[in-house]
Amino acid sequence: SSINASSVSWIQIAAPSRSILEDYRALDTQVRELAQRINERYSRGSYQPVILKIEHHEPEVINRYYRAADVCMVTSLHDGMNLVAKEYIASRDDDRGVLVLSQFTGAAHELHEALIVNPYHIEQTADALYQALTMPAFEQRERTARRPVGVDDRRDLVVGVQAQEFGRHLVVRGEVHKM
């Protein structure tokens, strides 16, 4: 399968945090500038490849993003972001969607239906993203059927929780950019 690049957008959802720290402000500026450069180069008409949503989001809004997303990438470099991965899985009652999950998250030991990656391995992560974007519906349904017992019970626990961060890195032309 191939992917039409203009049919894929990266939506980065993040709640501003620690904005009083200079390093965080500098990172925020760097992310916004990188997104702007990518969009200036690759946008066509109304198509925009990178959409930043750096603002407070109500849980219901985040849940709508999860349900609309074909793929959720959680590429933490250390244990963390478990709730984002579980919220994404819990939001999907349509047996669709693919989770790409860092091997360093605790959730990687429970969510075996995810595509597990080492986020330091750029090619592996890119291959997993491609696999996720081209995964047939029947395979998505098979993976969803392998959810651990109780994951559907998490829906009550996670729907009301705001995701603070979504993903940690953006792979652009073979380079990892911290988000």
Side-chain angles (χ1 to χ4, degrees):
S1 292
S2 64
I3 299 171
N4 176 355
S6 65
S7 69
V8 177
S9 289
W10 178 277
I11 301 175
Q12 178 70 37
I13 299 173
S17 68
R18 302 184 183 132
S19 56
I20 61 170
L21 300 175
E22 179 57 35
D23 287 348
Y24 279 78
R25 286 196 309 270
L27 182 59
D28 180 74
T29 299
Q30 183 181 2
V31 167
R32 290 174 192 269
E33 289 173 354
L34 176 61
Q36 183 178 354
R37 285 195 310 273
I38 292 168
N39 286 335
E40 286 171 355
R41 182 169 181 183
Y42 296 104
S43 292
R44 302 285 183 269
S46 64
Y47 168 69
Q48 191 174 1
V50 178
I51 301 166
L52 297 179
K53 297 288 188 181
I54 303 174
E55 59 198 49
H56 171 76
H57 295 85
E58 294 298 327
E60 303 80 34
V61 172
I62 293 171
N63 195 47
R64 285 196 296 269
Y65 277 107
Y66 287 149
R67 290 189 45 79
D70 296 319
V71 177
C72 176
M73 287 191 72
V74 179
T75 53
S76 302
L77 300 178
H78 54 83
D79 190 17
M81 302 299 293
N82 293 312
L83 193 54
V84 170
K86 292 174 182 178
E87 285 177 327
Y88 178 73
I89 295 295
S91 74
R92 302 307 300 232
D93 57 6
D94 59 355
D95 295 330
R96 298 295 300 269
V98 181
L99 177 63
V100 178
L101 187 58
S102 167
Q103 69 185 36
F104 302 118
T105 63
H109 302 288
E110 311 175 48
L111 302 177
H112 301 288
E113 73 275 15
L115 299 177
I116 308 298
V117 298
N118 176 344
Y120 290 108
H121 194 298
I122 294 169
E123 292 82 13
Q124 179 190 56
T125 303
D127 288 345
L129 179 57
Y130 179 82
Q131 181 183 354
L133 290 168
T134 59
M135 187 177 290
F138 76 87
E139 186 176 347
Q140 291 181 37
R141 283 190 297 276
E142 287 174 1
R143 286 176 172 276
T144 303
R146 295 195 310 247
R147 284 184 185 160
V149 174
V151 78
D152 290 321
D153 298 332
R154 287 191 202 110
R155 189 176 331 274
D156 292 335
L157 296 174
V158 300
V159 167
V161 179
Q162 175 190 354
Q164 296 297 317
E165 301 171 339
F166 183 77
R168 288 287 208 197
H169 289 80
L170 173 62
V171 178
V172 179
R173 295 185 344 156
E175 298 176 343
V176 176
H177 298 273
K178 290 184 179 179
M179 295 302 280

